[in-house]
Amino acid sequence: MLAAPRLSQLRGLDYSVLQQCMHCGLCLPVCPTYNATKLERNSPRGRIALMRAIADGQLEPTRAFADEMYFCLGCLACMSACPAGVNYAELFEHARAEAEESGVLHSPGRAFLRRLTMRWLFMNLGRLRLAGALIRLYQRLGLQWLLRHSGVLNLLPSRWRELEAMTPVIQPRFSSALIAPVMLPNGPIKYRVGLLTGCAQDIMFSDVNRDTAQVLVRNGCQVVTPPRQHCCGSLHAHNGDLEAARILARRNIDQFPPVQFDAIISNAAGCGSHLKHYARLLADDREYRGRAELWDSKVRDIHEWLVQIGFTPPGPGASAQTVAYHEPCHLCHGQKITSAPRQVLRAIPNLALAELPESTWCCGSAGIYNLIQPEMANTLLDRKIKHIVSTGAAVVATGNPGCLAHVVNGIRRKNLPVRVVHPVTLLAEAYRAAGNPPHEHP
Ligand code: SF4
Ligand code: SF4
């Protein structure tokens, strides 16, 4: 029996999405990869032309096509610049899925790594926490220090050394140990919200999740934070595994039935940008489509929500600080949220906001881009750090775990006395400094 022909992701896409590009080139100056190489194929316009050629049947997916799709950061700066409203986010996801499903990148090692991470670790956050706990043990026992100071690392290939240097610092306690499943405000309950604690955010920045819960409670929200949550699926959607992304979207909708909440809160820009498009992801799912539409209407980035409900500015008490704000791509380009984080920061007493040059330019983190494209990621990181230094700020604020971890690495590499922090943490600290006691886990 003949095998059924493979269904092309790009050929199956609504053709009007591919047709929208009018080749004007206004997206070229904002594209970091085009900026670096000046090659048309590394630009949004060039990539869309490749995708369209495949959709039209003029080109079969090749290794070069797949490499190009993985050289793209997915930063979506092109979407902000595009006058024709090209939905590059949707094209990008389908193009990477096309690259994966065509098999042109296949190797046994790569297939094993993808199964291990995307289909095993990130499909069950208990496993991710276990991996996090092992890394924490390695760091706590001083093995990491020993490895870094003994010279053993010099025996490893340079790529392994680079990866080791990027090992994130694992938090002493994960979100479920810091946040009660239900937290109530001291006064009347004005809103009922669900708090998504994320995957990387949970093991690397659980303190940011705790601060988010405290800030929400301080502003009249009943906060529901189930201790065992699911990945949002953005990692899968952005890396060509749309089927796994759909499974995770359904699990999240089941865990946080949108009809029960005024808002579903994310404090991770990359997750939020994906979470707001479950309806698109589940468009062919008759059982979940309706709930996914309601879900999309309820998802809010934390800064967006705080501004929407008119959050209470902290009273005096915070120390003076100058803060530069780096805009995560998936907040400013993906979600079009640029003013709300600045409003949150400006509300903090004694805080001077220093405008960061090229604040909307990608830092190079871009999900797992810094792991798979280290050269380009480091070029962008150096550019970002240079701008941070130019502001003279002692603090950089940014609302995405990938950016936080990547910028921390850049600051550490240059040995700079700069703190990198989520804006919500600065707000929570200001409430504490003003004498509002934080809500601790009972
Ligand atoms: S997503 Fe970013 S890197 Fe990719 S084409 Fe658009 S601007 Fe360029
Ligand atoms: S700005 Fe938009 S329409 Fe113009 S080339 Fe870029 S993607 Fe196409």
Side-chain angles (χ1 to χ4, degrees), residues 20-28 44-45 48 78 81-86:
Q20 269 173 321
C21 177
M22 54 189 188
H23 319 294
C24 65
L26 288 174
C27 52
L28 270 59
R45 186 173 61 186
I48 293 168
C78 46
C82 178
V86 169

Side-chain angles (χ1 to χ4, degrees), residues 170-244:
I170 305 298
Q171 289 281 309
R173 292 193 290 167
F174 301 136
S175 306
S176 54
L178 299 174
I179 307 168
V182 179
M183 288 169 71
L184 296 169
N186 285 333
I189 297 172
K190 296 186 200 156
Y191 310 98
R192 184 170 199 263
V193 303
L195 175 59
L196 297 160
T197 47
C199 51
Q201 183 85 322
D202 179 40
I203 63 168
M204 286 155 53
F205 301 107
S206 51
D207 52 342
V208 175
N209 285 333
R210 177 205 57 209
D211 292 340
T212 305
Q214 290 177 359
V215 162
L216 286 166
V217 166
R218 174 70 184 76
N219 284 282
C221 299
Q222 178 191 26
V223 182
V224 178
T225 315
R228 294 180 70 86
Q229 298 197 16
H230 307 285
C231 169
C232 70
S234 65
L235 173 77
H236 307 77
H238 297 162
N239 289 281
D241 192 348
L242 291 172
E243 206 33 61

Side-chain angles (χ1 to χ4, degrees), residues 30-33 43-44 47 72-78 88:
V30 302
C31 173
T33 53
S43 76
R47 289 177 180 130
C72 171
L73 292 143
C75 68
L76 309 184
C78 46
Y88 189 82

